[in-house]
Amino acid sequence: ASSTPPLWFFNYSCAAHSLDAASWWLADPVVAGPIRRGLTLRNHGARPWPLSPGPTFSLNATLPADNTALVHWHIQKEAGGNAPHGPVATSVASGYSKLLTSGSYSSDAPDDTRDDIMWLCLEGSKTDRVSEMYTIFGGVEFSGWSTTAVSRLDASVGATIQMGLKAGSAAVIAAGEQFVYPTVFIGVTTGDVEDSTNVLHRWVEAKLRPPVPGGITPLIVHNSWWIG
């Protein structure tokens, strides 16, 4: 492992297959926001390697001892009109499993096959003190086929979160080439879903989006004539 705060690298090597992996984590001690996570595989051998990439990020979020309730927020892309249900908030109860998929476009397909926005939000509130809330939030920095998954096997465990390439994706790393996984980000903040999105918006403006003329141009809003 090597570090230059706030960037940490973990380097792995498999001599038998001439493969190296560089895993990195990036935070910012000045601007509040999530931690970014990336992974790169390098083939320094003489033969190509087929690859079925797993998620860039996988996390088991443990529930507090007071059995804090969790709610999973998600939303579909719009296409030909508003998303059918707008933002959806679903209780993450025992047996919960939700896989969100996004591609480079959206369609007018039926509700259960439309693309989803690669935005993660798990809102937690203590059952006896609702005013004390926290939210796990994150996303995938990739416009190709990608997924975000949230699941909970039973009431005794917390939620499992995975983000990255769409399941079943395939690639080949040619000799001397590298494969870069989609960068993802994840963070936690006090407050509800709106508090977390406020943190996310400020972080995107300060750290993620490209510079804009004058430094004060707002984020572009498409389809601003829609309401709801």
Side-chain angles (χ1 to χ4, degrees):
S2 60
S3 69
T4 303
L7 177 64
W8 285 80
F9 273 97
F10 296 87
N11 301 303
Y12 307 89
S13 180
C14 180
H17 298 295
S18 301
L19 290 174
D20 293 333
S23 170
W24 60 268
W25 301 82
L26 177 63
D28 194 306
V30 177
V31 179
I35 295 173
R36 300 175 74 195
R37 151 77 170 156
L39 176 66
T40 299
L41 297 183
R42 295 181 176 86
N43 179 4
H44 54 81
R47 56 167 291 187
W49 280 104
L51 177 68
S52 180
T56 305
F57 177 89
S58 184
L59 170 71
N60 292 325
T62 304
L63 290 181
D66 63 358
N67 196 29
T68 297
L70 284 177
V71 174
H72 180 203
W73 287 82
H74 54 92
I75 187 170
Q76 294 175 327
K77 295 179 183 177
E78 294 186 8
N82 288 327
H85 302 301
V88 178
T90 308
S91 175
V92 184
S94 179
Y96 181 82
S97 179
K98 186 69 174 180
L99 177 66
L100 305 178
T101 303
S102 176
S104 56
Y105 60 90
S106 189
S107 70
D108 292 322
D111 177 50
D112 60 346
T113 58
R114 293 169 64 108
D115 284 352
D116 300 281
I117 293 175
M118 288 293 93
W119 163 66
L120 168 72
C121 182
L122 280 178
E123 182 185 76
S125 62
K126 295 185 177 180
T127 55
D128 58 339
R129 299 170 69 181
V130 179
S131 61
E132 293 188 14
M133 304 185 71
Y134 68 93
T135 303
I136 300 172
F137 65 100
V140 182
E141 301 175 26
F142 186 55
S143 60
W145 286 106
S146 51
T147 57
T148 295
V150 175
S151 60
R152 187 180 183 190
L153 294 179
D154 57 63
S156 65
V157 297
T160 298
I161 301 168
Q162 292 185 330
M163 295 186 290
L165 285 173
K166 181 181 179 181
S169 299
V172 174
I173 313 177
E177 298 296 328
Q178 65 181 22
F179 181 86
V180 181
Y181 283 69
T183 300
V184 303
F185 57 86
I186 191 163
V188 63
T189 186
T190 56
D192 60 13
V193 56
E194 293 188 1
D195 294 312
S196 71
T197 53
N198 286 335
V199 172
L200 177 58
H201 291 167
R202 289 192 293 268
W203 176 78
V204 168
E205 289 182 337
K207 305 301 297 184
L208 191 60
R209 75 175 187 186
V212 294
I216 58 173
T217 305
L219 293 172
I220 295 175
V221 178
H222 294 289
N223 295 355
S224 59
W225 51 89
W226 286 108
I227 59 173

